PDB file of all heavy atoms in Angstrom:
ATOM      1  N   SER A  94     -64.941   2.327 -27.393  1.00 96.00           N
ATOM      2  CA  SER A  94     -63.555   1.854 -27.842  1.00 96.00           C
ATOM      3  C   SER A  94     -62.778   1.466 -26.504  1.00 96.00           C
ATOM      4  O   SER A  94     -62.907   2.127 -25.477  1.00 96.00           O
ATOM      5  CB  SER A  94     -62.796   2.971 -28.544  1.00 96.00           C
ATOM      6  OG  SER A  94     -61.503   2.709 -28.548  1.00 96.00           O
ATOM      7  N   ALA A  95     -62.081   0.386 -26.626  1.00 97.00           N
ATOM      8  CA  ALA A  95     -61.360  -0.068 -25.520  1.00 97.00           C
ATOM      9  C   ALA A  95     -60.105  -0.770 -25.887  1.00 97.00           C
ATOM     10  O   ALA A  95     -60.126  -1.546 -26.882  1.00 97.00           O
ATOM     11  CB  ALA A  95     -62.215  -1.079 -24.669  1.00 97.00           C
ATOM     12  N   GLY A  96     -59.008  -0.620 -25.201  1.00 96.00           N
ATOM     13  CA  GLY A  96     -57.721  -1.355 -25.430  1.00 96.00           C
ATOM     14  C   GLY A  96     -57.139  -0.980 -26.605  1.00 96.00           C
ATOM     15  O   GLY A  96     -57.434   0.015 -27.393  1.00 96.00           O
ATOM     16  N   PHE A  97     -56.074  -1.765 -27.007  1.00 96.00           N
ATOM     17  CA  PHE A  97     -55.183  -1.450 -28.215  1.00 96.00           C
ATOM     18  C   PHE A  97     -56.100  -1.708 -29.536  1.00 96.00           C
ATOM     19  O   PHE A  97     -55.814  -1.114 -30.501  1.00 96.00           O
ATOM     20  CB  PHE A  97     -53.980  -2.358 -28.153  1.00 96.00           C
ATOM     21  CG  PHE A  97     -54.229  -3.912 -28.560  1.00 96.00           C
ATOM     22  CD1 PHE A  97     -54.009  -4.277 -29.759  1.00 96.00           C
ATOM     23  CD2 PHE A  97     -54.637  -4.694 -27.541  1.00 96.00           C
ATOM     24  CE1 PHE A  97     -54.230  -5.659 -30.018  1.00 96.00           C
ATOM     25  CE2 PHE A  97     -54.829  -5.997 -27.836  1.00 96.00           C
ATOM     26  CZ  PHE A  97     -54.621  -6.537 -29.152  1.00 96.00           C
ATOM     27  N   VAL A  98     -57.037  -2.619 -29.325  1.00 96.00           N
ATOM     28  CA  VAL A  98     -57.836  -2.934 -30.641  1.00 96.00           C
ATOM     29  C   VAL A  98     -58.818  -1.540 -30.884  1.00 96.00           C
ATOM     30  O   VAL A  98     -58.992  -1.272 -32.046  1.00 96.00           O
ATOM     31  CB  VAL A  98     -58.725  -4.108 -30.408  1.00 96.00           C
ATOM     32  CG1 VAL A  98     -59.710  -4.310 -31.588  1.00 96.00           C
ATOM     33  CG2 VAL A  98     -57.900  -5.343 -30.264  1.00 96.00           C
ATOM     34  N   GLY A  99     -59.265  -1.009 -29.868  1.00 96.00           N
ATOM     35  CA  GLY A  99     -59.958   0.220 -29.974  1.00 96.00           C
ATOM     36  C   GLY A  99     -59.150   1.366 -30.610  1.00 96.00           C
ATOM     37  O   GLY A  99     -59.568   2.125 -31.400  1.00 96.00           O
ATOM     38  N   ASP A 100     -57.953   1.393 -30.246  1.00 96.00           N
ATOM     39  CA  ASP A 100     -56.998   2.402 -30.811  1.00 96.00           C
ATOM     40  C   ASP A 100     -56.915   2.110 -32.361  1.00 96.00           C
ATOM     41  O   ASP A 100     -56.735   3.176 -33.131  1.00 96.00           O
ATOM     42  CB  ASP A 100     -55.624   2.315 -29.996  1.00 96.00           C
ATOM     43  CG  ASP A 100     -55.773   2.748 -28.708  1.00 96.00           C
ATOM     44  OD1 ASP A 100     -56.613   3.477 -28.243  1.00 96.00           O
ATOM     45  OD2 ASP A 100     -54.760   2.483 -27.862  1.00 96.00           O
ATOM     46  N   GLU A 101     -56.799   0.855 -32.658  1.00 97.00           N
ATOM     47  CA  GLU A 101     -56.562   0.574 -34.059  1.00 97.00           C
ATOM     48  C   GLU A 101     -57.850   0.853 -34.953  1.00 97.00           C
ATOM     49  O   GLU A 101     -57.809   1.258 -36.051  1.00 97.00           O
ATOM     50  CB  GLU A 101     -56.060  -0.882 -34.311  1.00 97.00           C
ATOM     51  CG  GLU A 101     -55.849  -1.322 -35.678  1.00 97.00           C
ATOM     52  CD  GLU A 101     -54.765  -0.482 -36.367  1.00 97.00           C
ATOM     53  OE1 GLU A 101     -53.962   0.144 -35.642  1.00 97.00           O
ATOM     54  OE2 GLU A 101     -54.536  -0.598 -37.613  1.00 97.00           O
ATOM     55  N   ILE A 102     -59.010   0.540 -34.260  1.00 97.00           N
ATOM     56  CA  ILE A 102     -60.300   0.842 -34.857  1.00 97.00           C
ATOM     57  C   ILE A 102     -60.327   2.331 -35.182  1.00 97.00           C
ATOM     58  O   ILE A 102     -60.719   2.817 -36.353  1.00 97.00           O
ATOM     59  CB  ILE A 102     -61.424   0.492 -34.026  1.00 97.00           C
ATOM     60  CG1 ILE A 102     -61.512  -1.117 -33.941  1.00 97.00           C
ATOM     61  CG2 ILE A 102     -62.773   1.006 -34.585  1.00 97.00           C
ATOM     62  CD1 ILE A 102     -62.522  -1.690 -32.988  1.00 97.00           C
ATOM     63  N   THR A 103     -59.872   3.219 -34.260  1.00 97.00           N
ATOM     64  CA  THR A 103     -59.962   4.672 -34.420  1.00 97.00           C
ATOM     65  C   THR A 103     -59.003   5.061 -35.519  1.00 97.00           C
ATOM     66  O   THR A 103     -59.347   5.881 -36.397  1.00 97.00           O
ATOM     67  CB  THR A 103     -59.601   5.376 -33.057  1.00 97.00           C
ATOM     68  OG1 THR A 103     -60.627   5.046 -32.041  1.00 97.00           O
ATOM     69  CG2 THR A 103     -59.547   6.824 -33.301  1.00 97.00           C
ATOM     70  N   ARG A 104     -57.874   4.534 -35.496  1.00 96.00           N
ATOM     71  CA  ARG A 104     -56.929   4.947 -36.503  1.00 96.00           C
ATOM     72  C   ARG A 104     -57.363   4.637 -37.939  1.00 96.00           C
ATOM     73  O   ARG A 104     -57.296   5.469 -38.821  1.00 96.00           O
ATOM     74  CB  ARG A 104     -55.517   4.203 -36.397  1.00 96.00           C
ATOM     75  CG  ARG A 104     -54.414   4.610 -37.246  1.00 96.00           C
ATOM     76  CD  ARG A 104     -53.152   3.764 -37.023  1.00 96.00           C
ATOM     77  NE  ARG A 104     -53.260   2.492 -37.555  1.00 96.00           N
ATOM     78  CZ  ARG A 104     -53.179   2.126 -38.940  1.00 96.00           C
ATOM     79  NH1 ARG A 104     -52.782   3.112 -39.745  1.00 96.00           N
ATOM     80  NH2 ARG A 104     -53.237   0.843 -39.326  1.00 96.00           N
ATOM     81  N   ARG A 105     -58.062   3.501 -38.215  1.00 95.00           N
ATOM     82  CA  ARG A 105     -58.509   3.150 -39.388  1.00 95.00           C
ATOM     83  C   ARG A 105     -59.834   3.959 -39.762  1.00 95.00           C
ATOM     84  O   ARG A 105     -60.004   4.252 -41.001  1.00 95.00           O
ATOM     85  CB  ARG A 105     -58.748   1.574 -39.485  1.00 95.00           C
ATOM     86  CG  ARG A 105     -57.471   0.748 -39.494  1.00 95.00           C
ATOM     87  CD  ARG A 105     -57.807  -0.742 -39.329  1.00 95.00           C
ATOM     88  NE  ARG A 105     -56.506  -1.421 -39.210  1.00 95.00           N
ATOM     89  CZ  ARG A 105     -55.935  -1.872 -40.364  1.00 95.00           C
ATOM     90  NH1 ARG A 105     -56.489  -1.722 -41.509  1.00 95.00           N
ATOM     91  NH2 ARG A 105     -54.864  -2.561 -40.229  1.00 95.00           N
ATOM     92  N   ILE A 106     -60.640   4.248 -38.862  1.00 95.00           N
ATOM     93  CA  ILE A 106     -61.770   5.068 -39.028  1.00 95.00           C
ATOM     94  C   ILE A 106     -61.249   6.434 -39.643  1.00 95.00           C
ATOM     95  O   ILE A 106     -61.786   7.081 -40.535  1.00 95.00           O
ATOM     96  CB  ILE A 106     -62.715   5.195 -37.828  1.00 95.00           C
ATOM     97  CG1 ILE A 106     -63.478   3.901 -37.579  1.00 95.00           C
ATOM     98  CG2 ILE A 106     -63.634   6.342 -37.979  1.00 95.00           C
ATOM     99  CD1 ILE A 106     -64.270   3.912 -36.364  1.00 95.00           C
ATOM    100  N   GLN A 107     -60.305   7.072 -38.878  1.00 94.00           N
ATOM    101  CA  GLN A 107     -59.823   8.304 -39.309  1.00 94.00           C
ATOM    102  C   GLN A 107     -59.191   8.255 -40.680  1.00 94.00           C
ATOM    103  O   GLN A 107     -59.310   9.166 -41.482  1.00 94.00           O
ATOM    104  CB  GLN A 107     -58.788   8.826 -38.278  1.00 94.00           C
ATOM    105  CG  GLN A 107     -59.339   9.155 -36.882  1.00 94.00           C
ATOM    106  CD  GLN A 107     -58.371   9.441 -35.840  1.00 94.00           C
ATOM    107  OE1 GLN A 107     -57.291   8.898 -35.864  1.00 94.00           O
ATOM    108  NE2 GLN A 107     -58.772  10.310 -34.851  1.00 94.00           N
ATOM    109  N   GLU A 108     -58.553   7.147 -41.035  1.00 92.00           N
ATOM    110  CA  GLU A 108     -57.940   6.974 -42.284  1.00 92.00           C
ATOM    111  C   GLU A 108     -58.992   6.945 -43.453  1.00 92.00           C
ATOM    112  O   GLU A 108     -58.690   7.334 -44.564  1.00 92.00           O
ATOM    113  CB  GLU A 108     -57.149   5.662 -42.419  1.00 92.00           C
ATOM    114  CG  GLU A 108     -55.774   5.682 -41.813  1.00 92.00           C
ATOM    115  CD  GLU A 108     -54.969   4.318 -42.165  1.00 92.00           C
ATOM    116  OE1 GLU A 108     -55.656   3.328 -42.555  1.00 92.00           O
ATOM    117  OE2 GLU A 108     -53.865   4.310 -41.801  1.00 92.00           O
ATOM    118  N   SER A 109     -60.163   6.609 -43.122  1.00 90.00           N
ATOM    119  CA  SER A 109     -61.350   6.628 -44.036  1.00 90.00           C
ATOM    120  C   SER A 109     -61.869   7.992 -44.283  1.00 90.00           C
ATOM    121  O   SER A 109     -62.878   8.170 -44.962  1.00 90.00           O
ATOM    122  CB  SER A 109     -62.380   5.580 -43.589  1.00 90.00           C
ATOM    123  OG  SER A 109     -61.855   4.334 -43.562  1.00 90.00           O
ATOM    124  N   GLY A 110     -61.448   8.921 -43.628  1.00 90.00           N
ATOM    125  CA  GLY A 110     -61.939  10.432 -43.850  1.00 90.00           C
ATOM    126  C   GLY A 110     -63.085  10.677 -42.944  1.00 90.00           C
ATOM    127  O   GLY A 110     -63.850  11.663 -43.224  1.00 90.00           O
ATOM    128  N   ILE A 111     -63.333   9.850 -41.953  1.00 95.00           N
ATOM    129  CA  ILE A 111     -64.550  10.102 -41.020  1.00 95.00           C
ATOM    130  C   ILE A 111     -64.136  10.760 -39.710  1.00 95.00           C
ATOM    131  O   ILE A 111     -63.046  10.522 -39.230  1.00 95.00           O
ATOM    132  CB  ILE A 111     -65.002   8.635 -40.717  1.00 95.00           C
ATOM    133  CG1 ILE A 111     -65.552   8.050 -42.025  1.00 95.00           C
ATOM    134  CG2 ILE A 111     -66.289   8.780 -39.743  1.00 95.00           C
ATOM    135  CD1 ILE A 111     -65.671   6.618 -41.814  1.00 95.00           C
ATOM    136  N   ASN A 112     -64.910  11.619 -39.138  1.00 95.00           N
ATOM    137  CA  ASN A 112     -64.687  12.177 -37.839  1.00 95.00           C
ATOM    138  C   ASN A 112     -64.889  11.100 -36.839  1.00 95.00           C
ATOM    139  O   ASN A 112     -66.061  10.643 -36.597  1.00 95.00           O
ATOM    140  CB  ASN A 112     -65.628  13.378 -37.629  1.00 95.00           C
ATOM    141  CG  ASN A 112     -65.503  14.531 -38.694  1.00 95.00           C
ATOM    142  OD1 ASN A 112     -64.440  14.865 -39.145  1.00 95.00           O
ATOM    143  ND2 ASN A 112     -66.584  14.948 -39.167  1.00 95.00           N
ATOM    144  N   ALA A 113     -63.853  10.754 -36.072  1.00 96.00           N
ATOM    145  CA  ALA A 113     -63.983   9.692 -35.177  1.00 96.00           C
ATOM    146  C   ALA A 113     -64.169  10.345 -33.792  1.00 96.00           C
ATOM    147  O   ALA A 113     -63.453  11.106 -33.258  1.00 96.00           O
ATOM    148  CB  ALA A 113     -62.694   8.925 -35.067  1.00 96.00           C
ATOM    149  N   ASP A 114     -65.346   9.886 -33.181  1.00 96.00           N
ATOM    150  CA  ASP A 114     -65.632  10.476 -31.827  1.00 96.00           C
ATOM    151  C   ASP A 114     -65.918   9.257 -30.875  1.00 96.00           C
ATOM    152  O   ASP A 114     -66.993   8.875 -30.618  1.00 96.00           O
ATOM    153  CB  ASP A 114     -67.028  11.386 -31.988  1.00 96.00           C
ATOM    154  CG  ASP A 114     -67.372  12.113 -30.761  1.00 96.00           C
ATOM    155  OD1 ASP A 114     -66.496  12.044 -29.757  1.00 96.00           O
ATOM    156  OD2 ASP A 114     -68.248  12.841 -30.659  1.00 96.00           O
ATOM    157  N   GLU A 115     -64.790   8.840 -30.427  1.00 96.00           N
ATOM    158  CA  GLU A 115     -64.836   7.570 -29.455  1.00 96.00           C
ATOM    159  C   GLU A 115     -65.152   7.851 -28.081  1.00 96.00           C
ATOM    160  O   GLU A 115     -64.798   8.929 -27.635  1.00 96.00           O
ATOM    161  CB  GLU A 115     -63.434   6.834 -29.692  1.00 96.00           C
ATOM    162  CG  GLU A 115     -62.286   7.600 -29.101  1.00 96.00           C
ATOM    163  CD  GLU A 115     -61.103   6.845 -29.112  1.00 96.00           C
ATOM    164  OE1 GLU A 115     -61.079   5.550 -29.321  1.00 96.00           O
ATOM    165  OE2 GLU A 115     -60.065   7.403 -29.119  1.00 96.00           O
ATOM    166  N   ILE A 116     -65.794   6.941 -27.461  1.00 97.00           N
ATOM    167  CA  ILE A 116     -66.018   6.979 -26.043  1.00 97.00           C
ATOM    168  C   ILE A 116     -65.159   5.882 -25.453  1.00 97.00           C
ATOM    169  O   ILE A 116     -65.270   4.643 -25.696  1.00 97.00           O
ATOM    170  CB  ILE A 116     -67.457   6.688 -25.637  1.00 97.00           C
ATOM    171  CG1 ILE A 116     -68.339   7.748 -26.315  1.00 97.00           C
ATOM    172  CG2 ILE A 116     -67.674   6.604 -24.162  1.00 97.00           C
ATOM    173  CD1 ILE A 116     -69.863   7.404 -26.234  1.00 97.00           C
ATOM    174  N   LYS A 117     -64.029   6.234 -24.871  1.00 96.00           N
ATOM    175  CA  LYS A 117     -63.126   5.342 -24.268  1.00 96.00           C
ATOM    176  C   LYS A 117     -63.507   4.614 -23.029  1.00 96.00           C
ATOM    177  O   LYS A 117     -64.071   5.333 -22.102  1.00 96.00           O
ATOM    178  CB  LYS A 117     -61.691   6.098 -23.967  1.00 96.00           C
ATOM    179  CG  LYS A 117     -60.998   6.599 -25.133  1.00 96.00           C
ATOM    180  CD  LYS A 117     -60.357   5.515 -25.915  1.00 96.00           C
ATOM    181  CE  LYS A 117     -59.176   4.898 -25.399  1.00 96.00           C
ATOM    182  NZ  LYS A 117     -58.469   3.890 -26.209  1.00 96.00           N
ATOM    183  N   ILE A 118     -63.348   3.322 -23.001  1.00 96.00           N
ATOM    184  CA  ILE A 118     -63.706   2.449 -21.832  1.00 96.00           C
ATOM    185  C   ILE A 118     -62.452   1.965 -21.328  1.00 96.00           C
ATOM    186  O   ILE A 118     -61.482   1.555 -22.027  1.00 96.00           O
ATOM    187  CB  ILE A 118     -64.579   1.310 -22.368  1.00 96.00           C
ATOM    188  CG1 ILE A 118     -65.957   1.833 -22.949  1.00 96.00           C
ATOM    189  CG2 ILE A 118     -64.896   0.273 -21.226  1.00 96.00           C
ATOM    190  CD1 ILE A 118     -66.724   0.728 -23.561  1.00 96.00           C
ATOM    191  N   ASP A 119     -62.248   2.189 -20.014  1.00 94.00           N
ATOM    192  CA  ASP A 119     -61.054   1.964 -19.236  1.00 94.00           C
ATOM    193  C   ASP A 119     -60.604   0.451 -19.150  1.00 94.00           C
ATOM    194  O   ASP A 119     -59.448   0.111 -19.173  1.00 94.00           O
ATOM    195  CB  ASP A 119     -61.072   2.529 -17.867  1.00 94.00           C
ATOM    196  CG  ASP A 119     -61.149   4.070 -17.788  1.00 94.00           C
ATOM    197  OD1 ASP A 119     -60.777   4.579 -18.887  1.00 94.00           O
ATOM    198  OD2 ASP A 119     -61.783   4.637 -16.958  1.00 94.00           O
ATOM    199  N   GLU A 120     -61.630  -0.514 -19.160  1.00 93.00           N
ATOM    200  CA  GLU A 120     -61.367  -1.917 -18.866  1.00 93.00           C
ATOM    201  C   GLU A 120     -61.843  -2.587 -20.182  1.00 93.00           C
ATOM    202  O   GLU A 120     -62.690  -2.303 -20.944  1.00 93.00           O
ATOM    203  CB  GLU A 120     -62.141  -2.386 -17.727  1.00 93.00           C
ATOM    204  CG  GLU A 120     -61.674  -1.668 -16.393  1.00 93.00           C
ATOM    205  CD  GLU A 120     -62.623  -2.198 -15.244  1.00 93.00           C
ATOM    206  OE1 GLU A 120     -63.425  -3.104 -15.404  1.00 93.00           O
ATOM    207  OE2 GLU A 120     -62.320  -1.808 -14.123  1.00 93.00           O
ATOM    208  N   GLY A 121     -61.173  -3.748 -20.370  1.00 93.00           N
ATOM    209  CA  GLY A 121     -61.447  -4.650 -21.431  1.00 93.00           C
ATOM    210  C   GLY A 121     -60.869  -4.257 -22.767  1.00 93.00           C
ATOM    211  O   GLY A 121     -59.888  -3.417 -22.804  1.00 93.00           O
ATOM    212  N   CYS A 122     -61.358  -4.814 -23.797  1.00 95.00           N
ATOM    213  CA  CYS A 122     -60.752  -4.599 -25.116  1.00 95.00           C
ATOM    214  C   CYS A 122     -61.892  -4.722 -26.221  1.00 95.00           C
ATOM    215  O   CYS A 122     -62.796  -5.590 -26.162  1.00 95.00           O
ATOM    216  CB  CYS A 122     -59.724  -5.605 -25.390  1.00 95.00           C
ATOM    217  SG  CYS A 122     -58.607  -5.256 -26.862  1.00 95.00           S
ATOM    218  N   SER A 123     -61.792  -3.860 -27.149  1.00 96.00           N
ATOM    219  CA  SER A 123     -62.821  -3.811 -28.312  1.00 96.00           C
ATOM    220  C   SER A 123     -62.515  -5.306 -29.020  1.00 96.00           C
ATOM    221  O   SER A 123     -61.438  -5.865 -28.974  1.00 96.00           O
ATOM    222  CB  SER A 123     -62.574  -2.764 -29.244  1.00 96.00           C
ATOM    223  OG  SER A 123     -62.929  -1.510 -28.639  1.00 96.00           O
ATOM    224  N   ARG A 124     -63.589  -5.745 -29.739  1.00 95.00           N
ATOM    225  CA  ARG A 124     -63.534  -7.146 -30.147  1.00 95.00           C
ATOM    226  C   ARG A 124     -62.818  -7.248 -31.531  1.00 95.00           C
ATOM    227  O   ARG A 124     -62.677  -6.212 -32.276  1.00 95.00           O
ATOM    228  CB  ARG A 124     -64.938  -7.611 -30.274  1.00 95.00           C
ATOM    229  CG  ARG A 124     -65.788  -6.800 -31.256  1.00 95.00           C
ATOM    230  CD  ARG A 124     -67.253  -7.376 -31.252  1.00 95.00           C
ATOM    231  NE  ARG A 124     -68.120  -6.521 -32.026  1.00 95.00           N
ATOM    232  CZ  ARG A 124     -69.135  -6.995 -32.797  1.00 95.00           C
ATOM    233  NH1 ARG A 124     -69.468  -8.271 -32.727  1.00 95.00           N
ATOM    234  NH2 ARG A 124     -69.777  -6.259 -33.515  1.00 95.00           N
ATOM    235  N   ILE A 125     -62.138  -8.405 -31.793  1.00 95.00           N
ATOM    236  CA  ILE A 125     -61.705  -8.769 -33.009  1.00 95.00           C
ATOM    237  C   ILE A 125     -62.619  -9.815 -33.613  1.00 95.00           C
ATOM    238  O   ILE A 125     -62.869 -10.776 -32.823  1.00 95.00           O
ATOM    239  CB  ILE A 125     -60.191  -9.242 -32.886  1.00 95.00           C
ATOM    240  CG1 ILE A 125     -59.314  -8.187 -32.453  1.00 95.00           C
ATOM    241  CG2 ILE A 125     -59.735  -9.790 -34.299  1.00 95.00           C
ATOM    242  CD1 ILE A 125     -57.974  -8.616 -32.213  1.00 95.00           C
ATOM    243  N   ASN A 126     -63.061  -9.725 -34.793  1.00 92.00           N
ATOM    244  CA  ASN A 126     -63.943 -10.684 -35.444  1.00 92.00           C
ATOM    245  C   ASN A 126     -63.147 -11.463 -36.501  1.00 92.00           C
ATOM    246  O   ASN A 126     -62.527 -10.726 -37.477  1.00 92.00           O
ATOM    247  CB  ASN A 126     -65.096 -10.119 -36.075  1.00 92.00           C
ATOM    248  CG  ASN A 126     -66.044  -9.548 -34.972  1.00 92.00           C
ATOM    249  OD1 ASN A 126     -66.017  -9.900 -33.880  1.00 92.00           O
ATOM    250  ND2 ASN A 126     -66.966  -8.698 -35.393  1.00 92.00           N
ATOM    251  N   LEU A 127     -63.011 -12.696 -36.349  1.00 92.00           N
ATOM    252  CA  LEU A 127     -62.298 -13.475 -37.420  1.00 92.00           C
ATOM    253  C   LEU A 127     -63.306 -14.089 -38.488  1.00 92.00           C
ATOM    254  O   LEU A 127     -64.297 -14.644 -38.039  1.00 92.00           O
ATOM    255  CB  LEU A 127     -61.533 -14.757 -36.739  1.00 92.00           C
ATOM    256  CG  LEU A 127     -61.004 -15.721 -37.719  1.00 92.00           C
ATOM    257  CD1 LEU A 127     -59.833 -14.963 -38.454  1.00 92.00           C
ATOM    258  CD2 LEU A 127     -60.367 -16.965 -36.938  1.00 92.00           C
ATOM    259  N   LYS A 128     -63.093 -13.759 -39.767  1.00 87.00           N
ATOM    260  CA  LYS A 128     -63.992 -14.162 -40.828  1.00 87.00           C
ATOM    261  C   LYS A 128     -63.148 -15.058 -41.835  1.00 87.00           C
ATOM    262  O   LYS A 128     -62.200 -14.540 -42.409  1.00 87.00           O
ATOM    263  CB  LYS A 128     -64.555 -12.816 -41.490  1.00 87.00           C
ATOM    264  CG  LYS A 128     -65.356 -11.977 -40.464  1.00 87.00           C
ATOM    265  CD  LYS A 128     -65.880 -10.852 -41.261  1.00 87.00           C
ATOM    266  CE  LYS A 128     -66.605  -9.882 -40.153  1.00 87.00           C
ATOM    267  NZ  LYS A 128     -67.844 -10.435 -39.719  1.00 87.00           N
ATOM    268  N   LEU A 129     -63.584 -16.378 -41.970  1.00 87.00           N
ATOM    269  CA  LEU A 129     -62.900 -17.200 -42.768  1.00 87.00           C
ATOM    270  C   LEU A 129     -63.711 -17.254 -44.221  1.00 87.00           C
ATOM    271  O   LEU A 129     -64.674 -17.822 -44.323  1.00 87.00           O
ATOM    272  CB  LEU A 129     -62.948 -18.539 -42.195  1.00 87.00           C
ATOM    273  CG  LEU A 129     -62.277 -18.797 -40.869  1.00 87.00           C
ATOM    274  CD1 LEU A 129     -62.415 -20.068 -40.319  1.00 87.00           C
ATOM    275  CD2 LEU A 129     -60.731 -18.280 -40.986  1.00 87.00           C
ATOM    276  N   LYS A 130     -63.204 -16.543 -45.141  1.00 79.00           N
ATOM    277  CA  LYS A 130     -63.838 -16.369 -46.432  1.00 79.00           C
ATOM    278  C   LYS A 130     -64.070 -17.742 -47.144  1.00 79.00           C
ATOM    279  O   LYS A 130     -65.086 -17.830 -47.868  1.00 79.00           O
ATOM    280  CB  LYS A 130     -63.020 -15.370 -47.404  1.00 79.00           C
ATOM    281  CG  LYS A 130     -63.068 -13.958 -46.938  1.00 79.00           C
ATOM    282  CD  LYS A 130     -62.207 -13.098 -47.877  1.00 79.00           C
ATOM    283  CE  LYS A 130     -62.762 -13.069 -49.229  1.00 79.00           C
ATOM    284  NZ  LYS A 130     -62.020 -12.073 -50.048  1.00 79.00           N
ATOM    285  N   THR A 131     -63.101 -18.608 -47.012  1.00 74.00           N
ATOM    286  CA  THR A 131     -63.205 -19.849 -47.862  1.00 74.00           C
ATOM    287  C   THR A 131     -63.955 -20.968 -47.314  1.00 74.00           C
ATOM    288  O   THR A 131     -64.004 -21.972 -47.830  1.00 74.00           O
ATOM    289  CB  THR A 131     -61.756 -20.283 -48.132  1.00 74.00           C
ATOM    290  OG1 THR A 131     -61.004 -20.227 -46.968  1.00 74.00           O
ATOM    291  CG2 THR A 131     -61.132 -19.384 -49.174  1.00 74.00           C
ATOM    292  N   ILE A 132     -64.465 -20.717 -46.118  1.00 75.00           N
ATOM    293  CA  ILE A 132     -65.279 -21.812 -45.495  1.00 75.00           C
ATOM    294  C   ILE A 132     -66.614 -21.440 -45.203  1.00 75.00           C
ATOM    295  O   ILE A 132     -67.109 -21.176 -44.103  1.00 75.00           O
ATOM    296  CB  ILE A 132     -64.531 -22.320 -44.109  1.00 75.00           C
ATOM    297  CG1 ILE A 132     -63.074 -22.284 -44.268  1.00 75.00           C
ATOM    298  CG2 ILE A 132     -65.154 -23.584 -43.646  1.00 75.00           C
ATOM    299  CD1 ILE A 132     -62.362 -22.645 -43.094  1.00 75.00           C
ATOM    300  N   ASP A 133     -67.372 -21.187 -46.285  1.00 67.00           N
ATOM    301  CA  ASP A 133     -68.755 -20.964 -46.273  1.00 67.00           C
ATOM    302  C   ASP A 133     -69.169 -19.760 -45.367  1.00 67.00           C
ATOM    303  O   ASP A 133     -70.051 -19.795 -44.661  1.00 67.00           O
ATOM    304  CB  ASP A 133     -69.620 -22.150 -45.742  1.00 67.00           C
ATOM    305  CG  ASP A 133     -69.487 -23.303 -46.848  1.00 67.00           C
ATOM    306  OD1 ASP A 133     -69.376 -23.045 -48.047  1.00 67.00           O
ATOM    307  OD2 ASP A 133     -69.646 -24.431 -46.360  1.00 67.00           O
ATOM    308  N   GLY A 134     -68.270 -18.750 -45.455  1.00 67.00           N
ATOM    309  CA  GLY A 134     -68.584 -17.529 -44.562  1.00 67.00           C
ATOM    310  C   GLY A 134     -68.575 -17.689 -43.172  1.00 67.00           C
ATOM    311  O   GLY A 134     -69.192 -17.039 -42.370  1.00 67.00           O
TER     312      GLY A 134
END
């Protein structure tokens, strides 16, 4: 996990009732994937 995106990933994992055991990375940022449902995936 890295950056503010990593923090949000952790928050949402915990919301799902899962034990979140993250390994924090000091530099960079976890990725955001954009998925366009209406344009052939």
Side-chain angles (χ1 to χ4, degrees):
S94 163
F97 75 98
V98 177
D100 294 340
E101 182 62 14
I102 290 171
T103 295
R104 187 183 72 81
R105 290 174 180 267
I106 286 175
Q107 291 172 333
E108 278 186 350
S109 298
I111 300 161
N112 301 316
D114 192 359
E115 64 179 341
I116 299 170
K117 290 289 286 184
I118 297 174
D119 295 334
E120 299 178 0
C122 193
S123 294
R124 60 185 180 150
I125 297 176
N126 294 339
L127 174 64
K128 301 178 183 292
L129 302 172
K130 289 178 62 177
T131 46
I132 313 175
D133 297 326

